[in-house]
Amino acid sequence: EIVLTQSPGTLSLSPGERATLSCRASQSVSSNYLAWYQQKPGQAPRLLIYGASTRATGIPDRFSGSGSGTDFTLTISRLEPEDFAVYYCQQYGSSPWTFGQGTKVEIK
Amino acid sequence: EVQLVESGGGLVQPGRSLRLSCTASGFTFGDYTMSWFRQAPGKGLEWVSFIRSKAYGGTTEYAASVKGRFIISRDDSKTIAYLQMNSLKTEDTAVYYCTRAYSGSDYWGQGTLVTVSS
């Protein structure tokens, strides 16, 4: 099983600032099948990035994903008020699919 | 418009069974792998199971925590995915989400709450 470790656990930032979220895998993620999701309270997760770096349909270009192998990053270039949420990475390259524990981006 | 609507959740006693349904619309259901995820109260996301399309054999995979107790299935004619949950435990209490498993999971339902308690 691939264990995903996200850091930091909480990121306290102000609107307009840049957010950098990390996701590290215990072994290489097959075909870079790594996704990022955003989840707000009481809502289902929303797909932001798949294939490590491809934005999902309708996702603003301030969201970007990078990385390969075992190290992946989600960057939000300039935080908007609606971006404060919890973010999860997930690998779907091998079963069992696994998630990181999440990074909460909160308003400073 | 792609829509996924879960149903069948509720309160159930430990050891009993429950069947969740995921009714899909807005896409060619039979062409896609479908998956179930869950989220315990205040916790992170956990993958539960997926079922591949018939074109890929309709094969299934399960998380270790549910293997042997849960069964995923699909009815392509009705565009419904099911999750049969048997021998439920208190630790199965969670919101269960159905997803279209394409490029990760590109569409999610709103979730249905399953509470396992005596």
Side-chain angles (χ1 to χ4, degrees):
Chain A
E1 171 175 327
I2 297 178
V3 176
L4 299 180
T5 303
Q6 291 186 241
S7 61
T10 302
L11 203 48
S12 298
L13 295 168
S14 300
E17 290 194 293
R18 181 185 188 90
T20 303
L21 287 66
S22 174
C23 176
R24 183 159 291 177
S26 61
Q27 55 189 281
S28 186
V29 175
S30 176
S31 303
N32 290 327
Y33 282 169
L34 192 287
W36 290 94
Y37 300 89
Q38 176 194 68
Q39 188 177 33
K40 297 179 181 178
Q43 295 185 16
R46 177 173 73 145
L47 177 67
L48 300 175
I49 301 288
Y50 65 91
S53 60
T54 304
R55 270 189 303 277
T57 303
I59 301 303
D61 61 7
R62 64 180 181 272
F63 292 92
S64 62
S66 62
S68 64
T70 60
D71 286 296
F72 300 90
T73 301
L74 174 70
T75 301
I76 311 171
S77 59
R78 289 178 309 280
L79 283 164
E80 297 288 340
E82 61 268 27
D83 299 336
F84 292 92
V86 179
Y87 293 83
Y88 295 95
C89 60
Q90 180 219 354
Q91 69 80 22
Y92 55 99
S94 59
S95 181
W97 295 350
T98 51
F99 286 90
Q101 79 279 18
T103 290
K104 182 179 182 180
V105 179
E106 65 176 22
I107 299 176
K108 186 175 181 180
Chain B
E1 178 193 6
V2 172
Q3 284 196 318
L4 299 171
V5 179
E6 301 96 338
S7 59
L11 174 63
V12 62
Q13 292 179 327
R16 303 298 289 265
S17 298
L18 206 59
R19 189 179 78 162
L20 304 183
S21 299
C22 170
T23 302
S25 60
F27 65 101
T28 306
F29 181 80
D31 288 349
Y32 290 86
T33 294
M34 299 298 295
S35 185
W36 288 92
F37 295 85
R38 67 184 181 183
Q39 188 169 36
K43 302 297 184 182
L45 296 166
E46 180 187 15
W47 167 71
V48 173
S49 179
F50 67 74
I51 182 167
R52 296 181 177 91
S53 66
K54 293 289 194 294
Y56 288 90
T59 53
T60 60
E61 297 280 349
Y62 297 93
S65 57
V66 306
K67 196 169 187 178
R69 300 188 299 124
F70 289 11
I71 300 170
I72 191 171
S73 61
R74 62 190 300 155
D75 185 332
D76 291 350
S77 66
K78 295 182 178 177
T79 69
I80 300 177
Y82 298 100
L83 186 68
Q84 177 68 42
M85 304 186 295
N86 301 321
S87 303
L88 282 161
K89 304 176 181 180
T90 55
E91 53 263 41
D92 294 319
T93 293
V95 174
Y96 284 73
Y97 295 102
C98 166
T99 80
R100 188 177 82 167
Y102 182 73
S103 299
S105 281
D106 60 347
Y107 287 95
W108 294 63
Q110 83 288 352
T112 188
L113 176 62
V114 173
T115 303
V116 184
S117 174
S118 54

